[in-house]
Amino acid sequence: MNGSEAYRLHMKNISIAFPGVQALTDVDFYTDPGRTHALIGANGAGKSTLMKVLSGAYHHYTGEIWIGDKQVDIRSPKDAKDHGIQIVYQEVDTALISGLTVGENIMIEQTVHDMRGKHIIRWKQLHQTAQGILDKMNVRVSSKKLVNELSLAEKQMVLIARAVSKQCRYLVLDEPTAPLSHNETEQLFRLIRSLRSEGVGIIFISHRLPELFEICDDITIMRDGRLVTRDKIAELDQPKVVEYMLGEKLEAQFPQTERSIGDKWFEARGIHDPGKVNHVDFHIHQGEIVGIAGLVGAGKTELCRALFGASPTASGEIWLQGRKLHVGSPHQAVRQGLALVPEERRKEGVFVEEPVSANLTAAVLSRFCSWGSWLSLRKEKEASEAIIRSLGIKTPSEKTKVQNLSGGNQQKVAIGKWLLADADVYIFDEPTKGVDVGAKRDIFELVTELARRGKCILYASSELSEIIGITDRVYVMYDGGIKKELETRQTDEEEILLYSTGGGLT
């Protein structure tokens, strides 16, 4: 056994089932220290489930886990960490304590250990240690800042800092770049290369194929809870990877359908939210898809929330079909024809502990009630099953809790609930974040179909290829304001990126 194989991580014949679904079937996965290993598959393929087995989140699996020539028993997160396995999950808010400081979150395990031993916590030393980790990662965040004051990207980096605060053999990163800007992604990649050079094995889950080819050495592809193939990533190309993921060749990603664009229907005037959005004006025609492009932190999400009445400090005017709307809350926004699919789906887009049917009908619950308050379960079931079929939501039944669905299917639920609402204006904030290439096309087709039906679409995304592929016009945001308005067919990703970074002429 060579030096690398002496500490090889090998998961043998891993199987696990949940009520109504066989999530993994005899999966054989292995990787070596000092390598970056891509683990990919379509939403629901089982990759995150496999890593939750490895991290001790699921204990009722069958199969074996080996490190080198030693079989290890991992049935809890503590077991995994004792064997040097750390994981950073995709949904950052569920893993951080928002009321604590950055340093306290990074050093929380060491702090708990000291408290159990009745030791005195040396706060100055704690923050110095945490700040040292952040500085090494080139993350410009104070260890004394509260987590609830951080951006989504900063929270992601804090989680990674926590993971590397203890010596680890293997670091699992689940969609780590989803909330990161280009510069922040480059910082992460520098950190990954540094850890790899120190002998740490990195397991990298991502739906962004170009970055896998940039940072990874090996690749394992899963589909429907089974292993499809394993290879050196240099031996494959992107079309072949997609074919392995989906079981078929992917057609053109962006649907080409004939649409007629009508008169100006929706208009935002002087939208302002102190420190977030700076007096933004824009409009959307009936049946038009308008993009909001910009880097992470440009103000896209803040603008979407302001339009939907989700920010109490926002001001400005919103007009729909010549009528001024009064949107002081999300409830008022929904009643006046607006719908928002938020970026943070688990926190704001779905009720994770409720069944799929309850989520899909939540926005129009009164429609399924009789005599004022009696909910018709039959009507709710029929309506939710229709949406499940139309969107291709992979779920054992409409009664399955949303938390048990894959990330892409959770996103489809977050979108599906607004189809029943039949809104006039649909606001999509990073709708394909953490979604595989097949599910992305489903979402693109849905957005295009809504526009074809005469809806106004606002599509906010930092994925410039999506902005180019699906929109009719695009407003580029920079530092909270609109930097430039462009006709999509007359621009390209390079020009949009130029304005996104503050360059170019206004």
Side-chain angles (χ1 to χ4, degrees), residues 36-42 47 173-177 185 189 192-193 196 202-221 231-238 241-242 245 436-437:
T36 302
H37 196 123
L39 177 61
I40 69 168
K47 54 193 183 297
L173 300 175
D174 189 357
E175 294 285 353
T177 63
T185 297
F189 285 0
I192 288 174
R193 293 185 181 102
R196 184 172 58 188
I202 310 292
I203 302 173
F204 196 95
I205 301 175
S206 177
H207 291 300
R208 294 178 172 177
L209 298 186
E211 66 188 26
L212 299 182
F213 283 83
E214 177 181 349
I215 195 66
C216 295
D217 305 301
D218 310 300
I219 186 169
T220 291
I221 303 174
D231 209 334
K232 288 185 171 62
I233 202 164
E235 300 298 320
L236 301 174
D237 58 21
Q238 290 189 40
V241 168
V242 171
M245 287 173 60
D436 70 73
V437 289

Side-chain angles (χ1 to χ4, degrees), residues 37 59 103 115 160 275 288 317 326 354 386 410 415 433 447 463 476:
H37 196 123
H59 61 81
M115 291 290 287
I160 295 171
E288 186 180 29
E317 295 183 359
H326 299 280
E354 296 297 326
Q410 289 181 9
I415 294 172
K433 188 178 82 172
V447 170
E463 299 289 344
V476 185

Side-chain angles (χ1 to χ4, degrees), residues 40 44 142 187 448:
I40 69 168
S142 169
Q187 290 179 24
T448 304

Side-chain angles (χ1 to χ4, degrees), residues 301 305 340 342-351 417:
T301 292
R305 289 176 58 82
L340 169 65
E343 177 182 16
E344 297 187 63
R345 56 177 171 258
R346 286 182 66 92
K347 184 179 178 182
E348 301 174 339
V350 293
F351 302 110
K417 72 179 182 183

Side-chain angles (χ1 to χ4, degrees), residues 439-452:
K440 280 184 179 181
R441 179 173 173 81
D442 291 342
I443 292 172
F444 297 148
E445 289 179 342
L446 169 64
V447 170
T448 304
E449 173 60 20
L450 288 171
R452 192 187 66 79

Side-chain angles (χ1 to χ4, degrees), residues 245-319:
M245 287 173 60
L246 302 181
E248 59 185 8
K249 292 184 178 180
L250 181 67
E251 300 174 358
Q253 191 173 25
F254 299 103
Q256 301 298 321
T257 58
E258 291 297 323
R259 288 185 287 113
S260 60
I261 296 177
D263 297 331
K264 184 190 297 184
W265 260 34
F266 180 81
E267 188 174 7
R269 303 175 184 172
I271 304 300
H272 183 70
D273 200 351
K276 301 173 184 177
V277 181
N278 301 324
H279 302 286
V280 166
D281 300 321
F282 71 91
H283 65 273
I284 308 174
H285 292 259
Q286 183 183 17
E288 186 180 29
I289 303 175
V290 170
I292 297 292
L295 303 179
V296 173
K300 302 185 303 298
T301 292
E302 291 76 10
L303 174 60
C304 292
R305 289 176 58 82
L307 294 171
F308 196 62
S311 175
T313 56
S315 60
E317 295 183 359
I318 298 174
W319 294 73

Side-chain angles (χ1 to χ4, degrees), residues 122-136:
R122 295 175 172 82
W123 295 106
K124 183 178 180 180
Q125 182 178 338
L126 180 148
H127 284 291
Q128 286 178 341
T129 303
Q131 194 65 55
I133 296 169
L134 292 167
D135 291 344
K136 181 180 178 181

